[in-house]
Structures are given as C-alpha cells and as structure tokens.
Amino acid sequence: MIIYGSVVSPFVRKLLGYLGEKGIAFELKGVGIGDPDPGFRAASPLGKMPAMDDDGFLLADSSAIIHYLEAKYPEPALIPADPQERGRVIWWDEFGDTVFAACGGKMFFNRIVAPRFLGREGDLAAAAAAEAEELPKLLDYLESAIPASGFLVGDRLTLADLAAVSPLMNIRHCGADADPARYPKIAAWSEAILARPSLAPWIAKEERMMAKLREQA
C-alpha cells in the first residue's frame, strides 16, 4: 500500500496514526501541494492529500481512506460499533477535519506554507484573526469535552482522538500551542496521544523538518 502525502498535513498525520494503530503496512511517498507525481494525481484527481494506492485501488481523502480500511481490517476497531459511540467518533472526525484544521490551516498556511514552501507572502492578518478569534473558542470546547478517561470516546483510543489531536501540531508549529495552565486536559491528552508509537516517529520527523525550516528562515 502506498500513501501519498506530507507529514506536516493534519489529514496525513491522522491517517498515519490510524495505520500505525491498526498495524497496517504501508509506504509513505512524500508529495507537496499540487504535486505533479502521476501516481498521486491518479489517486487524488483534485491534488489533495492524503491519497492511497492499495494494490491498484485508488482513493483520496483521509476519512474516505480510513472508512475503507476499517471495513477491510475491522480489528482492532477504531470506529466503534455502538451507535452512540460511532456517532461521537464521526463527529470528532468532522470537528478535526473541517473546523479545527480549518482554523489551524489559516495560521499554518499563511505563516509557514506560503512563505517557506510556496515562496510568496501569506495573509498574516487572516492568521492573526484565526488565532485571536477562532482558536480560543475551539480550545475552550475541546478542554470541556475531554473526559476523565483521557480518550474522547469511551475508555480507549479511537479515530476521534487521532482526528482531533492532529491539527494541534500545525497550531503548535505556529507558536500558538494550548497553554497548559489554561488547558490542562488538552495538554495531558495531546501529550499522551502524540507520544503513542503510532505517531511519535512521525511527530519527531516533522519537528526536525520544521526546525530546519526555522534555521533557514
């Protein structure tokens, strides 16, 4: 199985964590925004990451890939069978992908991707507005929603945790990490999830990449 994407993408990060938790073997082929790689473009007609080639079956979008793989490899289940728990997991996947990642994306794209990867000026006003106006509300909600179990749904890791924690890394790269004094539950929860063997090596790799970018700036 080939996965196309970049480790600094929250959607790719979520998928990499999922694959690690499932124990599914894969090869990560690095691609950038709008990459012309023919395999990537065949798997992702819109040029968005991640994309997958599973022995000739091509699919794009992290959630679509994960639902496909969950049906193909049902154990260990990361999307619960219980109706209420499944609904909550799907909600957190949506929250991570379309709400949290969108806020973090305004910051990460304009402060890092545009100037350092695309060679053009980012919209710093939009990034500042996202940090000041959008991010606190989302962090307040997440802090209030983390249960005593330390997992967002049930008492074990699910897709919910992987989806919700992934955008935090991009926010952290922008110097806007959740303040542990204000968000102690987010701090403890994110540290535990990101330190899991499924994610820790990828986090280390992207942190080295970001450190190199800062040195070059």
Side-chain angles (χ1 to χ4, degrees):
M1 178 189 299
I2 298 173
I3 300 296
Y4 297 93
S6 168
V7 293
V8 299
S9 161
F11 312 110
V12 174
R13 189 182 301 115
K14 176 183 76 170
L15 177 58
L16 295 177
Y18 174 88
L19 289 164
E21 294 291 336
K22 298 290 275 193
I24 299 172
F26 67 95
E27 172 194 349
L28 177 64
K29 187 168 185 180
V31 295
I33 297 173
D35 200 295
D37 180 282
F40 171 55
R41 300 302 297 208
S44 181
L46 300 182
K48 295 187 177 182
M49 62 182 79
M52 175 196 72
D53 182 342
D54 185 19
D55 195 24
F57 177 67
L58 307 179
L59 192 62
D61 182 84
S62 61
S63 295
I65 293 169
I66 285 171
H67 280 275
Y68 160 75
L69 293 172
E70 189 75 7
K72 187 174 181 179
Y73 304 100
E75 298 296 334
L78 294 184
I79 301 175
D82 176 82
Q84 292 186 4
E85 289 192 350
R86 177 172 292 194
R88 293 298 294 170
V89 166
I90 293 171
W91 153 247
W92 281 112
D93 190 30
E94 177 73 8
F95 172 85
D97 278 9
T98 65
V99 182
F100 209 19
C103 173
K106 293 173 187 176
M107 300 159 60
F108 189 72
F109 181 86
N110 289 302
R111 292 175 179 170
I112 296 174
V113 175
R116 300 184 188 178
F117 289 95
L118 302 181
R120 60 183 175 84
E121 189 174 327
D123 187 341
L124 298 182
E131 180 177 355
E133 300 168 15
E134 298 178 33
L135 183 60
K137 297 175 184 177
L138 299 179
L139 293 177
D140 286 345
Y141 167 69
L142 181 57
E143 177 74 12
S144 71
I146 298 173
S149 69
F151 298 103
L152 289 175
V153 178
D155 58 359
R156 62 184 182 84
L157 182 114
T158 65
L159 173 60
D161 300 292
L162 300 173
V165 82
S166 290
L168 270 176
M169 283 304 301
N170 295 76
I171 292 167
R172 180 178 297 177
H173 293 321
C174 294
D177 200 7
D179 180 0
R182 180 174 176 179
Y183 303 109
K185 290 196 290 184
I186 292 177
W189 163 79
S190 61
E191 181 179 1
I193 302 302
L194 293 170
R196 293 178 71 91
S198 61
L199 278 170
W202 300 110
I203 299 301
K205 181 177 181 178
E206 68 173 284
E207 287 182 333
R208 289 193 298 269
M209 181 187 302
M210 296 306 300
K212 188 174 181 180
L213 280 176
R214 287 191 293 270
E215 290 175 2
Q216 295 172 348

